[in-house]
């Protein structure tokens, strides 16, 4: 997060002071009415207060450049080169400086391009809130909020700023991200005493907290870094959260740094003991160390991830962070809801089923329209869940919508996932009052009296047909308010039946995921019979079904065993969903959860990869790592395959660095001990490393064998170490054969030896990619990408002709005889054949390390939520309060 000049002080001294002020006083201080700001006034305030952001996701040049320059080995090498310049070895020092600059520039250009791709990706993800502007409800981006805006809060919203409440209906907020308190806090409108602690500000809703129940309206007091959330976020590291992929990269890099450190020290000490020039020995040792360290690994990874994000974006999948693509590739279990993934997701109202002959279908529809949290404006429904929206939009309810004008809603008990229903208090045109309740049939019927057997039979038939059903019930009352305690002794009016048919391509998507080794399990709020019917129709085994009550009755060990044999989890609570995911994660592997509702947030946070959709609730999108613009399992399958492809290509670079590249550097170090001259000048080693690295920047474009996509792969440092100990020495065998050829056959002098060794080492360490890139034997059964083939052959060609160019003298090379190239061709062929033999043996005996569950930082949720309030502009520094 970028912090710049301090922001203006918060209005009224901040949210604590606003909480101690009456609502009328707050509105007066903010110079705003309940109708909200005008658009012109909002623009004026935005200029003064700046964006409602606590972080900036802008790609910055200097941090990326520092990422390339921060290697201590590089700093030592440049220092030694500078020292050699002042003691007379100026040409070598200049060459080393130029080569280092080119290498750094190569990595910088690729990594900065990846950062720009991440910035563009972040700009595509929008978070909106409903405010009153120009006297009417308007949806705006959360970063456009200004002090004085009037904001509506609903179930599942993430509070977009520090807000003083002036109207609430059963409002509860989860403030654990700020206070650590796990229980939701009841909210009201009364003022609190001055200097009240955050956890007791009952008249305020704080930025970053979650609306767990009810609804409310309030005025924005503080935005961005002036909020309590912004102050806390500024005190934390906002570095993006590390994934297992990044942790693996770090472990691998440290492995090579330790190897390089040990090798460098021993080479330098030995060369000094052999009375070789100290400066030459130092430069040579440091150049060897730089050659071993994976200097371009960040650029290769960044390029792979950036290219992957562009491919995923074209498939309507947005990842919040580039490394999330690779995390998708690790998934082997996917928990998903049913609506929109297995089904079309376009819910259509079908019919009303009266509970008895004394109720007509029109009455059931009318009651269903009344029992909603929807707000109606200009004849259109604003907000509400998809079932309410489908009922409102149906032509069958046209007459009933016209009749609503005669009824007045006096109060609402909002839907929550414990009750699974919504209730409203309605006053009819004749003054009579009644409670109308609508919700999950099982929950509503439990609160009804005298339910006809025929109604229960009709309900069972609808469930068996795979239809979605909500029940509607009512009872007369004589009161002015309504609460959940009034939901009893209801009379069932009937059922509203909706159709959400299976997707035509869902079966094929399920087969694709099965081919990728991903087990799909359905976690739904629907009835168990409905979910099982849909799964059966799509060919997904639906015999294993557990309800939420059955899940709650199992201990952790029993649930772990049941998960593997269960396909459908129905009527599961939010805590139950999170528990299912958590128990599955304990067994290792990668667990993904796809959900778009408030009740999915806990599970999304618990999963290794949380997936939501662009039309999902704020809290679901906030908890997710991946956002789908199109809710489809097919695009998820693309994401899984893309993640595995990126990991496979990254491993290719890693295995090259631990085989021929490491072997060549080790051989050069060993040769320096028995030769009277250095086998390669420091500048030549760096040039070799730069050319080798540039050829590998095309690895992200490479093809990946189909069999490598069938199951996830994970970092295994033990596997990499074993690979290095086998293939590194194999490379050294042919290096020493080259030494023997140069000395005993060609009787090469120092310059010719270095030239031959340069050409041979570059050829072997670059061309081995064709063998290492695939598990197939022989390697030519797998086809590399054209860019990678051209890059590899191009670099080998450059290395071969360089000793014959005008640059040869400057670089310390000389032309090589034809006999050398004939022998080189034979050695390269023999080397690749030996690699194939060793590869067959290695992969037959290789063992796979079981991956355990990953552990997360305690501040994980806060850092992820801070990314929600992010802008490409510079974020202002928080205002410090006394």
């Amino acid at each position: 997060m970028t912090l710049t000049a301090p922001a203006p002080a918060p209005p009224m001294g901040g949210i604590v002071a606003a909480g101690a002020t009456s609502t009328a006083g707050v509105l007066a201080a903010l110079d705003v009415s309940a109708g909200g700001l005008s658009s012109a006034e909002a623009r004026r305030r935005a200029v003064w207060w700046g964006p409602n952001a606590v972080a900036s996701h802008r790609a910055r040049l200097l941090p990326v450049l520092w990422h390339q320059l921060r290697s201590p080995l590089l700093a030592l090498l440049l220092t030694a080169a500078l020292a050699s310049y002042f003691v007379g070895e100026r040409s070598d020092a200049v060459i080393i400086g130029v080569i280092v600059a080119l290498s750094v520039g190569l990595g910088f250009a690729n990594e900065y391009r990846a950062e720009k791709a991440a910035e563009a990706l972040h700009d595509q993800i929008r978070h909106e809130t409903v405010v009153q502007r120009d006297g009417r409800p308007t949806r705006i981006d959360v970063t456009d909020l200004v002090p004085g805006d009037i904001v509506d809060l609903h179930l599942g919203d993430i509070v977009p700023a520090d807000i003083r409440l002036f109207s609430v209906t059963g409002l509860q907020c989860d403030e654990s991200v700020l206070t650590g308190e796990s229980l939701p806090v009841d909210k009201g409108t009364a003022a609190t005493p001055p200097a009240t602690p955050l956890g007791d500000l009952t008249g305020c809703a704080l930025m970053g907290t979650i609306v767990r129940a009810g609804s409310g309206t309030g005025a924005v007091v503080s935005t961005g870094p002036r909020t309590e959330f912004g102050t806390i976020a500024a005190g934390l590291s906002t570095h993006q959260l590390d994934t297992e992929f990044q942790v693996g990269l770090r472990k691998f890099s440290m492995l090579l740094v330790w190897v390089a450190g040990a090798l460098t020290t021993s080479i330098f000490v030995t060369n000094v003991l052999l009375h070789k020039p100290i400066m030459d020995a130092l430069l040579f040792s440091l150049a060897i160390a730089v050659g071993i360290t994976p200097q371009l690994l960040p650029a290769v990874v960044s390029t792979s991830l950036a290219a992957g994000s562009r491919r995923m974006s074209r498939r309507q999948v947005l990842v919040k962070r580039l490394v999330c693509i690779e995390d998708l590739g690790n998934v082997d279990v996917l928990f998903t809801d049913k609506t929109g993934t297995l089904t079309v997701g376009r819910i259509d109202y079908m019919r009303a089923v009266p509970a008895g002959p004394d109720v007509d279908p029109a009455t059931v529809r009318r009651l269903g329209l009344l029992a909603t949290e929807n707000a109606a404006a200009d004849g259109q429904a604003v907000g509400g869940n998809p079932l309410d929206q489908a009922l409102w939009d149906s032509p069958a309810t046209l007459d009933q919508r016209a009749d609503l004008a005669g009824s007045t809603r006096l109060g609402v008990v909002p839907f929550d996932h414990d009750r699974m229903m919504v209730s409203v208090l309605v006053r009819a045109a004749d003054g009579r009052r009644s409670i109308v309740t609508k919700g999950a049939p099982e929950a509503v019927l439990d609160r009804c009296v005298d339910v006809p057997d025929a109604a229960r039979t009709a309900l069972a038939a609808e469930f068996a047909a795979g239809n979605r059903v909500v029940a509607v019930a009512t009872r007369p009352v004589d009161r002015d308010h309504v609460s959940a305690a009034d939901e009893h002794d209801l009379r069932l009016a009937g059922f509203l039946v909706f159709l959400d048919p299976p997707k035509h391509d869902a079966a094929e998507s399920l087969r694709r995921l099965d081919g990728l080794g991903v087990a799909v399990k359905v976690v739904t709020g629907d009835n168990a019979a409905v979910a099982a019917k849909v799964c059966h129709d799509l060919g997904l085994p639906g015999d294993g079904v557990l309800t939420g009550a059955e899940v709650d009755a199992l201990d952790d060990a029993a649930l772990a065993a049941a998960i593997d044999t269960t396909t459908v989890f129905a009527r599961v609570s939010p805590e139950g969903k999170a528990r299912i995911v958590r128990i599955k994660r304990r067994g290792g592997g990668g667990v993904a959860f796809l959900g778009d509702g408030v009740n999915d947030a806990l599970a999304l946070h618990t999963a290794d990869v949380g997936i939501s959709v662009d039309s999902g609730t704020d809290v679901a999108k906030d908890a997710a790592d991946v956002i789908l613009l199109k809710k489809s399992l097919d695009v998820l399958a693309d994401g899984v395959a893309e993640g595995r492809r990126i990991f496979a290509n990254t491993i290719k670079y890693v295995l090259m660095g631990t085989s021929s590249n490491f072997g060549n550097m080790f051989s050069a170090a060993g040769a320096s001990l028995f030769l009277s001259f250095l086998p390669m000048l420091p500048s030549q080693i760096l040039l070799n490393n730069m050319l080798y690295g540039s050829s590998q920047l095309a690895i992200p474009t490479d093809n990946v064998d189909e069999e490598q996509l069938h199951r996830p792969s994970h970092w295994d440092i033990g596997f990499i170490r074993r690979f290095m100990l086998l293939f590194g020495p194999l490379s050294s065998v042919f290096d020493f054969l080259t030494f023997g050829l140069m000395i005993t056959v060609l009787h090469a002098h120092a310059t010719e030896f270095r030239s031959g060794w340069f050409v041979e080492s570059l050829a072997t360490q670059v061309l081995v990619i064709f063998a290492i890139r695939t598990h197939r034997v022989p390697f030519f059964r797998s086809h590399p990408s054209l860019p990678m083939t051209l890059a590899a052959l191009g670099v080998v060609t450059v290395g071969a002709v360089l000793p014959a160019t005008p640059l040869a003298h400057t670089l310390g090379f000389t032309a090589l005889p034809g006999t050398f190239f004939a022998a080189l061709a034979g050695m390269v062929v023999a080397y690749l054949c030996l690699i194939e033999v060793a590869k067959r043996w290695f992969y037959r005996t290789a063992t796979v390390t079981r991956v355990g569950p990953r552990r997360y930082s305690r501040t994980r949720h806060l850092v992820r939520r801070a990314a929600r309030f992010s802008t490409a502009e510079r974020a202002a520094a928080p205002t410090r309060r006394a």
Side-chain angles (χ1 to χ4, degrees), residues 35-67:
L37 300 172
S38 67
S39 296
E41 176 62 16
R43 286 193 295 269
R44 188 189 70 78
R45 296 190 184 197
V47 172
W48 174 250
W49 297 107
N52 180 35
V54 300
S56 172
H57 57 262
R58 183 179 59 173
R60 292 175 290 154
L61 286 168
L62 291 181
V64 177
L65 182 60
W66 171 244
H67 190 252

Side-chain angles (χ1 to χ4, degrees), residues 375-391:
D378 300 328
Q380 298 293 324
V382 180
N385 62 58
L387 294 174
D388 283 346
Q389 198 72 46
L391 183 63

Side-chain angles (χ1 to χ4, degrees), residues 68 101-111 296 299 690 693-695 697:
Q68 297 295 318
L102 289 173
S103 295
V104 169
L106 193 63
F108 168 78
N110 280 275
E111 195 163 349
L296 286 178
M690 187 190 75
S694 64
S695 73
L697 287 175

Side-chain angles (χ1 to χ4, degrees), residues 77 96 99-100 103 287 290 682-690:
L77 179 62
I96 290 173
I99 293 173
V100 168
S103 295
V290 171
S683 59
Q684 293 170 343
I685 292 176
L686 294 175
L687 177 62
N688 182 295
N689 188 53
M690 187 190 75

Side-chain angles (χ1 to χ4, degrees), residues 413-442:
V413 183
F415 178 91
D416 66 53
H417 297 285
D418 293 324
R419 294 164 36 251
M420 301 184 70
M421 64 184 70
V422 59
S423 291
V424 298
L425 177 62
V426 177
R427 183 179 62 206
D430 59 7
R432 289 184 299 175
R433 300 177 183 183
S434 61
I435 293 174
V436 183
T437 299
K438 183 177 69 179
E442 300 93 329

Side-chain angles (χ1 to χ4, degrees), residues 113-160:
R113 187 171 62 178
E115 288 287 316
K116 294 296 288 184
E119 178 185 316
L121 189 66
H122 202 297
D123 286 338
Q124 289 182 266
I125 301 173
R126 295 181 59 83
H127 302 285
E128 295 183 333
T129 189
V130 177
V131 302
Q132 298 291 326
R133 288 271 175 94
D134 300 314
R136 61 184 299 158
T138 306
R139 296 194 71 86
I140 66 170
D141 194 281
V142 294
T143 59
D144 294 333
L145 278 177
V146 296
D149 265 325
I150 304 301
V151 178
D152 294 333
L153 299 175
H154 297 282
L155 179 67
D157 287 350
I158 292 177
V159 179

Side-chain angles (χ1 to χ4, degrees), residues 666-860:
F666 184 82
S667 301
S672 69
L673 303 181
F674 63 82
L675 292 175
S676 59
F677 53 86
L678 293 177
M680 205 182 292
L681 297 176
S683 59
Q684 293 170 343
I685 292 176
L686 294 175
L687 177 62
N688 182 295
N689 188 53
M690 187 190 75
L691 290 172
Y692 157 76
S694 64
S695 73
Q696 305 318 302
L697 287 175
I699 284 180
T701 70
D702 193 25
N703 303 320
V704 175
D705 296 338
E706 189 67 27
E707 58 267 24
Q708 288 185 260
L709 303 178
H710 287 169
R711 60 186 177 90
S713 300
H714 303 274
W715 282 100
D716 185 347
I717 298 301
F719 173 89
I720 295 172
R721 189 185 300 113
R722 292 190 299 273
F723 193 95
M724 179 174 66
L725 293 177
L726 174 62
F727 291 92
L730 287 182
S731 174
S732 293
V733 168
F734 285 86
D735 295 337
F736 283 101
L737 287 177
T738 302
F739 295 161
L741 171 71
M742 300 299 296
I743 294 173
T744 61
V745 178
L746 300 179
H747 306 290
H749 51 79
T751 303
E752 190 175 31
F753 183 96
R754 291 165 182 157
S755 302
W757 165 232
F758 178 89
V759 172
E760 189 271 343
S761 65
L762 187 62
T764 54
Q765 69 181 345
V766 170
L767 293 178
V768 77
I769 183 59
F770 294 109
I772 287 177
R773 60 171 295 277
T774 177
H775 293 185
R776 295 177 183 176
V777 179
F779 65 82
F780 49 77
R781 291 175 53 226
S782 174
H783 303 292
S785 71
L786 182 61
M788 198 200 75
T789 302
L790 294 177
L793 296 180
V795 164
V796 171
T797 302
V798 168
V801 302
L802 200 55
T805 65
L807 290 174
H809 178 72
T810 303
L811 297 173
F813 294 134
T814 188
L816 295 166
T819 52
F820 168 80
F821 288 103
L824 174 63
M827 283 192 293
V828 167
V829 172
Y831 173 55
L832 293 178
C833 289
L834 184 59
I835 289 293
E836 289 294 278
V837 173
K839 189 174 72 175
R840 178 187 289 270
W841 175 83
F842 180 82
Y843 285 116
R844 280 182 175 177
T845 59
T847 57
V848 178
T849 302
R850 181 64 177 169
V851 179
R854 69 184 70 173
R855 301 182 184 276
Y856 296 121
S857 162
R858 287 179 294 177
T859 60
R860 176 178 184 247

